Amino acid sequence: AAVIFNGIDQIYPFSLSPALLNENLQYGTLSRTSLQATWSNGQAVKEYQDFLASGKQEIDKENDGASVIVKSADPASRATPMVDALVSLGNGDDIVLTPTSPMPQMIGNRESFPIYVALPPNELEDFIKNLPDDWRPKREDLVFLSGGSICGVIEPTLKKFGYARDSMTQVLVGGFTTPGPIGKPRDLSCNIGLDSNGEDKIAGECAACGKWSGAIQERLESNGIRCKTGFYREWRRMMWERASLDAVFNLIGAVRDEPTTPKDVAMYYEPEASDMLWQVTGALRGMLAVTLLYGFEERLFCFAEQRLGEQQCVIDEETFPYVFCPPFDQSKLIVEYLNYAKDEKGMIPNAYIPPCSSKPSLMRQGNLRADGVI
């Protein structure tokens, strides 16, 4: 149950009985008008019970080596830069396949090896649903990519097939560049100061979880790209943090009359972005039982200012379902801005957006700072 006690939101992991609730209301312990509903997420409870039952305190890590990289059969796929990046991060012995290619049973002397699924998110469901018979024994070796403009949020798709769990490997890939076939990816993470223990605070780093997290960390860090590993529960919080940046900063910047970058949003539209982010955190807690890691707001703003000064804010209809997916549609401000983008700016004409009677305030238009600098 969720109640307000002495003006403070309190979340209890149990339901108050009607008798106890009435008693508290009678004596003024609880406010009748403050009683609120909260989530009951059975999957989150089951994952935590499985984690405790495993007895593990740290991740088992596999070594990097020759891998399979799955690319789209469409030569014009928007995920092609990610394929090129993964190939350039390897040692030249990776195999690139399309979803209908035969799956090798061994690479070198290894029967088990990472299979990077570098498909655009709109092709992922068909890929999993139509997995060829010779691929099925290697389902535990699949590596799914999330984050950024290429991969977006794929958790809803993975959940449909039971792939969003501790043993499956997932990578948050927004922490490096994808320069194409002639360039080498570089690290985008940044140091934003020291924490209370005197340790570096890092924003925008890659992260991996699951069976092949160690191999991914080895591959990235051997190329100078920071990568954090951990259990799925921790990785999931980092993934939704990046998803919040991709949705909020792009939306606020894309509706401007002039080209705007996420850096501009962090510098000139901090109140709007902050309000949206806090609405998003409430929706994440309420719908998915996900709480973002402490300091998320500082990390997102610093990362946008330091690393996203050349990337234009856009809302793309093709990736819209994988950027503005639930629970982002529970944010009133996000819905207001999406309706404004569709009705006033002519963006995303075919996307479904929950109706909204209000619009963003006119005072939020323009890139004029309080000190008069544009």
Side-chain angles (χ1 to χ4, degrees), residues 147 152-153 172 238-248 323 328:
V153 178
L172 183 61
M238 297 181 67
M239 182 275 290
W240 280 110
E241 180 176 310
R242 175 58 196 238
S244 300
L245 181 146
D246 293 333
V248 168
V323 177
F328 294 144

Side-chain angles (χ1 to χ4, degrees), residues 13 18 57 71 95-96 126 147 179 182 185 190 240 261 284 306 337 373:
Q57 298 299 316
K71 70 172 185 177
I95 299 174
V96 180
D126 284 342
I182 60 174
C190 54
W240 280 110
T261 67
L284 286 170
Q306 295 187 36
Y337 270 73
V373 177

Side-chain angles (χ1 to χ4, degrees), residues 16 52-53 100 118 155 166 206 210 256 276 279 306 326 341 350 374:
L16 295 176
L52 295 177
T100 56
E155 179 178 287
D166 270 314
C206 292
R256 309 298 159 183
M276 276 193 194
Q279 286 187 5
Q306 295 187 36
N350 299 313
I374 295 181

Side-chain angles (χ1 to χ4, degrees), residues 272-284:
E272 298 163 72
S274 183
D275 287 349
M276 276 193 194
L277 287 172
W278 283 104
Q279 286 187 5
V280 165
T281 61
L284 286 170

Side-chain angles (χ1 to χ4, degrees), residues 1-16 21 24 28-31 34-39 285:
V3 297
I4 293 181
F5 179 72
N6 291 337
I8 302 174
D9 249 349
Q10 301 290 329
I11 306 298
Y12 295 92
F14 53 82
S15 298
L16 295 176
L21 180 58
N24 279 278
T29 308
L30 304 177
S31 168
S34 298
L35 187 63
Q36 301 173 8
T38 189
W39 51 264
R285 288 195 305 269

